[in-house]
Amino acid sequence: MEFTLSMWSVHRTTREHQWTVLDFLSYCHDQGIKQVELLDVFWKDVDEELPYVKSYLDQHDMKAISYAVSNDFVNQDPALRQAALDKITCAFPIAIALEAKVIRVFSGNLNSDITYEEAQQWIVEGLSSAANEAERLGLTLCLENHGLLAGTGTQIQSIIDQVASPALRSTFDTGNFLLVDENPLEALHKLLPYIHHVHLKDFAVTEGGRYRSLSGLAYEGRVLGEGIAQIEPILRALHDYGYSNGIVLEYEGLEDERTGIQQCLAAFSNMMQRMEVKR
């Protein structure tokens, strides 16, 4: 399982210093990080930047293993639901150009004007259409556990089962389960057969934390292993199951992001070494 860095891990740094995707790749290269996850929200001009990004990856023996889009299917307006679908399908040629086989997607979130049943129907319809095209192109959509409609392991499992396509699997985000008051390790055992992509992030209960769970607990991002997301047991369970796809850091702590990433990389390396010793 090779360490991969999501560009979201430097979202504050990117805004503060006006980084481009190439700046992020240069930072990764300097840190010895060979695999990355890129996101649609960070392009300034994708048509102009994409050839240079692909060239940089090739020249520096780096890989973009996943590409993320910010779609939302939960809207009463059919035109806006179509726009959410278009956001995913428009990512296909970008992912293909990057040679990224995984596209991370979302469901959308609930609001007071829409019933849970309506929202679920729109999510399943939208992801079914996207998955049909993704399968034809040899791509895999990975639904992140996030929010009220696809936040728990049971919800993710239900959506994937209803779509019933090999091109829709799970992005297992370790931290997000805490925000719906679900134990990440318990969710892992529900979803192991569905997982095709993993986001590592750790949270700790913190007074004044920026992230609040359904039960009202306040959380803040932490370096891997310093929170309560049970990162090492999750990695061990994934390894024992035979998981060999992406392990992507999505750091969300308050420290300087580059310092936090270095600490997470060291923690990940130590965890992997301990796992090797115990085998």
Side-chain angles (χ1 to χ4, degrees):
M1 294 187 287
E2 187 171 349
F3 183 89
T4 302
L5 184 65
S6 174
M7 191 169 174
W8 186 255
S9 298
V10 291
H11 66 277
R12 287 185 284 114
T13 302
T14 296
R15 286 198 298 266
E16 181 180 351
H17 297 287
Q18 293 298 297
W19 273 12
T20 64
V21 176
L22 279 175
D23 291 325
F24 169 67
L25 294 181
S26 177
Y27 163 75
C28 291
H29 175 66
D30 290 345
Q31 299 301 310
I33 296 169
K34 292 290 191 178
Q35 295 191 161
V36 298
E37 175 183 77
L38 302 180
L39 292 80
D40 64 346
V41 296
F42 291 120
W43 297 114
K44 298 180 187 300
D45 184 329
V46 63
D47 293 331
E48 179 179 333
E49 294 174 81
L50 184 58
Y52 295 101
V53 166
K54 182 63 173 72
S55 177
Y56 190 97
L57 291 168
D58 291 342
Q59 290 174 13
H60 293 86
D61 193 28
M62 296 172 67
K63 295 180 182 178
I65 70 159
S66 50
Y67 182 64
V69 298
S70 51
N71 61 288
D72 183 348
F73 287 114
V74 185
N75 199 293
Q76 291 175 330
D77 186 342
L80 293 179
R81 297 201 297 274
Q82 180 63 47
L85 175 58
D86 293 343
K87 181 167 278 195
I88 297 176
T89 56
C90 286
F92 292 168
I94 298 171
I96 290 169
L98 292 168
E99 299 183 49
K101 296 294 188 181
V102 167
I103 298 178
R104 179 164 59 92
V105 298
F106 292 90
S107 60
N109 218 341
L110 201 58
N111 64 61
S112 58
D113 298 326
I114 296 169
T115 68
Y116 185 91
E117 291 72 22
E118 283 178 316
Q120 286 286 310
Q121 178 183 343
W122 296 333
I123 292 164
V124 170
E125 288 174 352
L127 290 176
S128 294
S129 295
N132 286 340
E133 180 66 9
E135 184 176 358
R136 186 182 69 80
L137 295 171
L139 301 170
T140 302
L141 307 179
C142 288
L143 176 62
E144 180 172 338
N145 50 291
H146 187 276
L148 298 175
L149 293 162
T152 69
T154 298
Q155 288 172 328
I156 291 288
Q157 182 179 3
S158 174
I159 292 168
I160 293 175
D161 284 345
Q162 288 180 73
V163 172
S165 167
L168 180 66
R169 310 311 291 161
S170 161
T171 287
F172 186 92
D173 186 294
T174 57
N176 285 354
F177 286 108
L178 295 170
L179 303 184
V180 292
D181 302 308
E182 183 165 21
N183 181 302
L185 192 57
E186 292 178 4
L188 179 79
H189 291 300
K190 291 179 189 175
L191 288 173
L192 269 174
Y194 299 81
I195 297 170
H196 193 78
H197 187 240
V198 173
H199 262 190
L200 291 186
K201 66 184 178 208
D202 214 344
F203 285 149
V205 177
T206 307
E207 185 176 355
R210 292 172 295 161
Y211 306 102
R212 194 163 294 274
S213 75
L214 296 181
S215 65
L217 290 173
Y219 286 96
E220 192 52 74
R222 290 288 184 267
V223 169
L224 297 179
E226 295 183 4
I228 62 170
Q230 300 173 287
I231 300 298
E232 190 165 342
I234 286 171
L235 287 173
R236 190 178 303 280
L238 286 165
H239 176 271
D240 291 347
Y241 188 76
Y243 179 84
S244 59
N245 293 325
I247 298 286
V248 183
L249 174 67
E250 190 181 50
Y251 176 69
E252 293 192 347
L254 284 173
E255 298 88 344
D256 174 83
E257 289 172 324
R258 287 162 288 187
T259 300
I261 288 165
Q262 290 172 346
Q263 293 171 340
C264 286
L265 179 55
F268 177 82
S269 297
N270 289 337
M271 291 177 191
M272 297 304 291
Q273 288 173 6
R274 286 193 294 269
M275 287 168 54
E276 184 68 29
V277 167
K278 290 183 179 180
R279 285 213 298 268

